[in-house]
Amino acid sequence: MTDANAIISAMNLSERRLKHTFGVADMAKELAKAHFPALDLKTVELAALMHDFTKEYSVERQLELCELYRIELTDDEKNNPKLLHSKTAAIIARDRFMLPTEACSAIYWHTTGRAAMTPFEIVIYLADYIEEFRDDPSCIKLREFYLKAMKKERNKAIALTKTLVRSFDTTIKHLIADEKTINVSTFEARNYYINLLNV
């Protein structure tokens, strides 16, 4: 497995995206320490650094990588290029930087989420949403929601689950407002985690 410096040296990201990436790395480690202390923080950091590795690639380049690595795409993914970077970054993390399967899976699912996410997948998904440099109002509100929930709830797992549900609700509402398709994995994730709260 590679180290952080190798990934950072290979990055070709704008200053804004780079700042976000480092924010995700910091937040992912904080989430791991708070909720899943058994996770290896070095590997969490590497996955966070890789999560947007191909975000600024052209759509053509993304599709070339999908074809090269035989990444099967749904119609939704083909029609929504913003979803492609999670797939291509995951495969590069595996083949070029030799990150472990759990890290690559977290990169793969960090955009849409999915039902029954692993602890690793949760910390990368949520860190991407609430890292400190995110200035979109919905991200700020979710970050504030998480911090309040952590103070309010005795059970930190409930605080985390409520935040996940809120994140999926927010994403779905935005996509509906923008008249865009919604990835089925996001629906399934929302339903899974809201059912956990109702058990």
Side-chain angles (χ1 to χ4, degrees):
M1 186 169 66
T2 191
D3 62 17
N5 288 331
I7 293 172
I8 293 167
S9 297
M11 285 179 179
N12 186 19
L13 298 173
S14 64
E15 186 176 336
R16 181 175 179 273
R17 181 68 52 190
L18 198 58
K19 185 177 180 181
H20 162 68
T21 297
F22 290 137
V24 173
D26 289 340
M27 178 57 71
K29 288 185 285 186
E30 290 304 310
L31 290 170
K33 285 188 280 189
H35 299 283
F36 308 109
L39 289 179
D40 178 70
L41 293 182
K42 179 184 176 183
T43 310
V44 167
E45 179 184 33
L46 296 180
L49 291 173
M50 282 296 308
H51 87 283
D52 273 356
F53 192 84
T54 62
K55 178 79 171 184
E56 295 177 346
Y57 285 14
S58 67
V59 175
E60 291 75 19
R61 180 62 177 146
Q62 299 275 9
L63 291 172
E64 286 174 5
L65 286 170
C66 290
E67 184 174 352
L68 177 65
Y69 288 105
R70 298 180 181 178
I71 300 171
E72 292 187 18
L73 301 175
T74 65
D75 288 339
D76 179 46
E77 289 164 340
K78 291 174 185 175
N79 294 326
N80 190 349
K82 287 185 178 181
L83 298 177
L84 299 180
H85 77 280
S86 58
K87 312 295 186 277
T88 54
I91 204 74
I92 289 172
R94 185 194 73 185
D95 283 13
R96 180 174 173 184
F97 295 103
M98 294 171 284
L99 266 60
T101 300
E102 61 178 356
C104 297
S105 182
I107 296 165
Y108 188 93
W109 292 107
H110 85 266
T111 303
T112 61
R114 66 168 178 147
M117 287 189 286
T118 66
F120 213 125
E121 290 165 359
I122 290 172
V123 298
I124 300 301
Y125 166 82
L126 191 56
D128 184 37
Y129 220 127
I130 66 171
E131 61 90 4
E132 64 174 322
F133 301 119
R134 282 280 205 181
D135 55 9
D136 181 273
S138 62
C139 296
I140 292 171
K141 286 180 181 177
L142 187 66
R143 185 164 60 239
E144 291 173 347
F145 178 89
Y146 169 73
L147 294 173
K148 287 178 182 176
M150 285 292 284
K151 290 179 180 178
K152 179 182 176 183
E153 300 290 344
R154 290 185 178 181
N155 185 336
K156 302 310 178 190
I158 291 176
L160 182 63
T161 303
K162 285 184 174 180
T163 304
L164 289 173
V165 170
R166 178 66 65 95
S167 76
F168 296 123
D169 285 351
T170 300
T171 297
I172 290 167
K173 286 175 185 176
H174 278 308
L175 290 171
I176 290 172
D178 292 341
E179 298 183 342
K180 292 183 178 178
T181 59
I182 302 167
N183 190 280
V184 67
S185 296
T186 303
F187 274 129
E188 291 172 349
R190 191 262 181 189
N191 290 342
Y192 176 87
Y193 287 102
I194 205 163
N195 283 336
L196 278 187
L197 292 174
N198 294 328
V199 171

